[in-house]
Amino acid sequence: MPESISQPRRNVDVPEGLWIRCTQCSAMIYRRILEEELHVCPECGCHYRVDVRTRINQLNDPGTFEEFLPNLESSDPLEFSDRITYRERLAKVKAETGETEAMVVGKGFIKGRPLIMGVMNPFFIMGSMGAVVGEKVSAAAERAASESLPLLMVTCSGGARMMEGMVSLTQMAKTSAAVGRFDQAGGLYIVVMTDPTTAGVAASFAFLGDVILAEPGALIGFAGPRVIANTIKTTLPEGFQKAEFMLEHGFVDRIVHRRDLRSEIARIIDYCNK
Amino acid sequence: MPHQHRQNWVRASSPPWRGLFWYITMSTQPATAANPAGAIGHVLEFEKPLAKMEQEIQRLETLQAESGRDYSEVITTIREQLQNALRQSYANLTAVETVAVARHPRRPLVRDYIRLIAEDFCELHGDKLYGDDHAVVCGFARLAGHRVMLIGHQKGREWREKIEVNFGCAHPDGYRKALEKMKLAAKFNVPVVCLVDTPGAYPGVEAEERGIARAIAINLMEMSRLATPVVAVVVGEGGSGGALGLAVADQVAVLEHAYYSVISPEGCAGILWKSGEYAAQAAEALRLTAADLKRLDLIDAIIPEPLGAAHRNPEETAQNLATWIGKTLRDLRRLKPESLLRRRYDRWRKIGSFFVEGGKSEPGRTDTKPAKRARRPTKAAAVQPEA
């Protein structure tokens, strides 16, 4: 479930201005340098959240990405309303991000290797999964199976989108079933977990990867840290639910720096090539 | 509004963020005026007038037995009134009242159903990886004329049992144990029956360390392709991923007064309204009752409960449950394995409605709507990229 649903208008999760102070180590970084470093702090290695188009450009060979199903939009199945209606919330987020939903799927190339990929957008209602995200993931898995291509999912989500109620929860089963079929068809499924990958997305298609990579420092887990802290009434251990914690406990295959993602993905595809 | 006062106790007693603690405290504290759902009272706020009538009947019956005088006429009248009042109350439950009924301390639990309808229950423990999670019960049983693998969450009745089963909040071991038994069942073509009753998977450090997310994800995937009939019934609380982890089935039913939700109403209110006091509004908005879920085409059946809900008559509830399971398994067993699995996949694959925006549609697709967006019904033929 998304912890915070109102995100300020930003393409990347860094402060505005020509010079930027890293939110983690307070180093002053020139904006252009940060962009060259793929939005990773050159001083402390903090991986900032990036929006979906930036991520697609960073991962794919230039100009190769071809989006499919770009025109799906949430239909508000519950006619949900809290302090504002879900439709208003969607309209606001669409205007802010310029995207129609929290995920983009398509066919791309990484170092010349074709693959089907899905990338989540942390700035669209916390990358939460509703009917559209579920449909896009399932459709991507089916297309990867039919075209015999590897499937890559770059996850970044607060979980199921509660404004779609049980429709969003059932997307967990739908995406898992689709990934299961792709698995049976012998396809290679690579997941890159980025900050944050939690709750309904973690507990469905994200943790089903044949190979699970994670960006350093990414929050990965099922229940949010605040919820756990409140349940057990103590402070949580240092580094709890970070990518390194998941690696330590055996649930992540590799932690990969953002600049190495392309080469690592290409390497794994080559090793699994039949 | 008649139910304005009914919601007050929810407001007064729910912490802003989460249902679990609310649930624990609500179901174990002694009853007070402010907290009528306590373990001693067992009386939900909206049931108070009903409880008074029930007490009156009991009092008169005792009096009749002791004094030898005939009160049967009065008793019959009150009984009739009670029936009418029950019918009226339960026909018009608000969503938050449904949640309260589903969490009723006297509501039958999975082990009660096992006792009532399963013959020759042969419990099987352990996930053969780490341990035995008591929050999940598994075992062979004979149920409504079928050999089945019965799997369910056990929430616990008494304090000691509640702690032992962790209030029905399973750890990863519970989900792995369930999957282990399901695979055993599938190997010998024994159908799987899952009874769901959990506030959610356990949000704790150990659960994360042992990979609760992965455990649930694997269950979702494996259940979607388990080569034997699978049916699931939400009998009490259907709490989020922890419930779904045992509920990817060919047919999913929900008991009439159970609920099934992506998040607890308290949790949702805490996040979206920034205060748990709005649990009643959140419960309404989440469409978590059996009737709403059926309307949204997310579940296949609603299993009726006797008048006044399951806690008034566990036996009849269990019988209704057994009848539905028996009939559904009979139908599913007729299917060939391939067609069973194809149907299951399609059942889940079709869930979800969305708009297809006109104008810039996928090339080669035939189902593009014109510029005016059309609403796709839930479970309508979903947009298939390979269509």
Side-chain angles (χ1 to χ4, degrees):
Chain A
M1 267 58 65
E3 301 241 319
S4 148
I5 29 87
S6 54
Q7 287 285 338
R9 195 215 156 143
R10 283 185 300 209
N11 280 338
V12 289
D13 194 19
V14 292
E16 297 292 324
L18 201 59
W19 285 88
I20 293 147
R21 187 184 288 277
C22 173
T23 49
Q24 196 163 296
C25 69
S26 306
M28 294 299 286
I29 320 156
Y30 191 47
R31 173 169 290 277
R32 206 170 51 79
I33 303 277
L34 190 70
E35 278 163 18
E36 275 169 16
E37 295 287 329
L38 308 176
H39 303 284
V40 176
C41 171
E43 298 294 324
C44 70
C46 171
H47 283 52
Y48 289 106
R49 293 176 189 175
V50 295
D51 78 303
V52 61
R53 301 292 162 186
T54 311
R55 173 74 71 175
I56 286 170
N57 290 337
Q58 287 177 355
L59 278 177
N60 282 284
D61 300 343
T64 57
F65 185 76
E66 221 179 283
E67 184 175 355
F68 54 77
L69 298 178
N71 45 7
L72 302 190
E73 291 183 28
S74 174
S75 67
D76 186 16
L78 270 53
E79 294 173 355
F80 191 93
S81 161
D82 50 278
R83 290 172 305 169
I84 62 168
T85 66
Y86 178 38
R87 276 167 199 254
E88 285 166 358
R89 196 185 290 272
L90 278 171
K92 194 164 146 254
V93 171
K94 279 179 201 168
E96 278 173 6
T97 58
E99 299 291 333
T100 53
E101 254 296 342
M103 174 168 249
V104 172
V105 289
K107 183 176 176 178
F109 286 81
I110 291 180
K111 291 191 177 251
R113 293 152 185 86
L115 73 173
I116 303 293
M117 69 167 76
V119 179
M120 304 188 84
N121 191 349
F123 304 111
F124 197 99
I125 320 188
M126 270 310 285
S128 54
M129 172 163 66
V132 173
V133 172
E135 177 66 25
K136 285 189 175 185
V137 174
S138 311
E142 285 172 352
R143 182 168 288 206
S146 73
E147 295 188 17
S148 303
L149 289 178
L151 177 66
L152 172 73
M153 286 287 160
V154 182
T155 60
C156 177
S157 174
R161 187 173 298 165
M162 62 186 127
M163 295 75 125
E164 294 189 20
M166 277 301 293
V167 174
S168 71
L169 191 77
T170 46
Q171 300 307 310
M172 291 170 65
K174 169 169 160 172
T175 54
S176 302
V179 167
R181 263 208 180 173
F182 178 61
D183 170 57
Q184 267 175 332
L188 167 65
Y189 176 33
I190 302 173
V191 174
V192 177
M193 294 190 176
T194 73
D195 187 56
T197 297
T198 56
V201 167
S204 60
F205 66 91
F207 259 118
L208 292 175
D210 294 313
V211 178
I212 298 175
L213 308 177
E215 286 193 343
L219 178 76
I220 300 169
F222 182 62
R226 258 190 321 163
V227 174
I228 297 176
N230 276 329
T231 308
I232 61 173
K233 300 284 176 204
T234 51
T235 48
L236 295 168
E238 183 82 10
F240 179 64
Q241 289 185 320
K242 295 291 178 197
E244 294 74 13
F245 172 93
M246 283 295 158
L247 183 82
E248 185 67 26
H249 286 91
F251 292 100
V252 161
D253 289 291
R254 277 177 88 80
I255 292 180
V256 179
H257 193 283
R258 195 170 286 165
R259 86 172 96 75
D260 301 328
L261 269 181
R262 274 166 53 81
S263 55
E264 287 292 311
I265 291 166
R267 186 148 77 130
I268 290 162
I269 290 174
D270 288 348
Y271 271 114
C272 297
N273 203 355
K274 275 181 257 182
Chain B
M1 285 295 285
H3 34 76
Q4 191 56 47
H5 73 278
R6 295 177 193 167
Q7 293 165 3
N8 284 346
W9 64 270
V10 175
R11 290 222 182 121
S13 55
S14 41
W17 44 271
R18 223 3 60 151
L20 178 63
F21 260 86
W22 181 86
Y23 164 75
I24 294 168
T25 44
M26 288 301 286
S27 57
T28 51
Q29 278 173 4
T32 60
N35 180 10
I40 298 170
H42 300 316
V43 180
L44 306 175
E45 184 67 31
F46 75 92
E47 284 192 311
K48 272 186 171 173
L50 309 173
K52 250 185 207 154
M53 285 190 233
E54 279 170 344
Q55 278 166 5
E56 189 63 16
I57 292 170
Q58 226 167 25
R59 194 181 67 85
L60 287 172
E61 279 174 344
T62 331
L63 205 64
Q64 185 169 272
E66 282 171 3
S67 67
R69 266 184 266 175
D70 184 22
Y71 291 111
S72 56
E73 221 165 277
V74 194
I75 292 175
T76 319
T77 320
I78 302 178
R79 270 235 166 88
E80 271 168 23
Q81 283 174 352
L82 175 67
Q83 297 290 309
N84 287 336
L86 273 174
R87 206 163 289 131
Q88 211 158 33
S89 286
Y90 275 88
N92 301 304
L93 287 188
T94 62
V96 76
E97 286 166 352
T98 304
V99 173
V101 173
R103 292 171 178 166
H104 194 287
R106 282 284 165 85
R107 191 173 175 86
L109 302 174
V110 165
R111 283 205 188 269
D112 297 319
Y113 290 119
I114 292 175
R115 187 169 45 75
L116 288 166
I117 51 174
E119 285 167 48
D120 190 26
F121 181 60
C122 169
E123 184 161 0
L124 300 171
H125 297 271
D127 65 353
K128 295 178 182 130
L129 285 164
Y130 180 84
D132 182 34
D133 191 337
H134 301 292
V136 176
V137 184
C138 307
F140 284 121
R142 287 179 197 281
L143 208 168
H146 300 273
R147 297 177 301 153
V148 301
M149 175 59 76
L150 193 55
I151 296 172
H153 300 96
Q154 172 67 6
K155 282 206 304 196
R157 179 89 57 201
E158 311 305 334
W159 247 120
R160 184 186 299 221
E161 197 203 355
K162 276 183 200 289
I163 291 168
E164 197 183 292
V165 302
N166 201 26
F167 300 86
C169 299
H171 281 77
D173 334 321
Y175 293 98
R176 291 179 182 135
K177 168 179 168 180
L179 185 60
E180 167 87 11
K181 310 311 170 200
M182 285 184 219
K183 285 185 167 170
L184 168 68
K187 183 174 174 185
F188 299 103
N189 201 23
V190 173
V192 174
V193 174
C194 291
L195 302 180
V196 174
D197 188 13
T198 177
Y202 186 61
V205 174
E206 288 187 2
E208 296 291 333
E209 285 175 344
R210 302 207 290 273
I212 183 74
R214 167 87 174 176
I216 291 176
I218 292 283
N219 271 28
L220 302 182
M221 181 171 83
E222 295 296 347
M223 287 183 82
S224 77
R225 60 190 193 190
L226 197 72
T228 190
V230 186
V231 297
V233 184
V234 180
V235 295
E237 291 191 79
S240 196
L244 187 68
L246 293 187
V248 183
D250 296 300
Q251 292 274 309
V252 181
V254 176
L255 280 190
E256 192 178 348
H257 301 302
Y259 81 92
Y260 194 5
S261 179
V262 65
I263 183 172
S264 71
E266 297 79 12
C268 178
I271 296 170
L272 291 182
W273 279 264
K274 310 284 178 208
S275 159
E277 289 180 12
Y278 293 91
Q281 283 90 325
E284 209 65 57
L286 283 167
R287 309 270 186 261
L288 45 67
T289 65
D292 280 334
L293 296 171
K294 186 77 180 71
R295 213 168 297 131
L296 286 164
D297 219 357
L298 293 168
I299 58 170
D300 303 287
I302 300 174
I303 300 176
E305 290 184 30
L307 187 59
H311 57 274
R312 283 204 168 67
N313 194 342
E315 291 77 16
E316 194 182 325
T317 313
Q319 279 317 315
N320 293 349
L321 183 64
T323 309
W324 183 83
I325 292 170
K327 182 180 78 61
T328 309
L329 284 183
R330 233 179 357 264
D331 294 344
L332 291 173
R333 297 219 75 156
R334 287 204 194 100
L335 299 171
K336 287 202 181 93
E338 315 83 64
S339 108
L340 179 80
L341 289 178
R342 198 185 56 243
R343 278 173 184 233
R344 191 185 305 155
Y345 184 81
D346 292 343
R347 182 207 180 279
W348 290 93
R349 180 68 182 84
K350 279 178 193 158
I351 292 180
S353 67
F354 37 79
F355 290 137
V356 182
E357 195 186 37
K360 47 169 184 169
S361 166
E362 186 83 344
R365 278 235 313 269
T366 52
D367 54 0
T368 313
K369 296 290 177 239
K372 192 167 177 279
R373 292 184 299 181
R375 182 160 187 173
R376 309 193 129 251
T378 311
K379 269 194 174 182
V383 183
Q384 303 292 341
E386 295 307 318

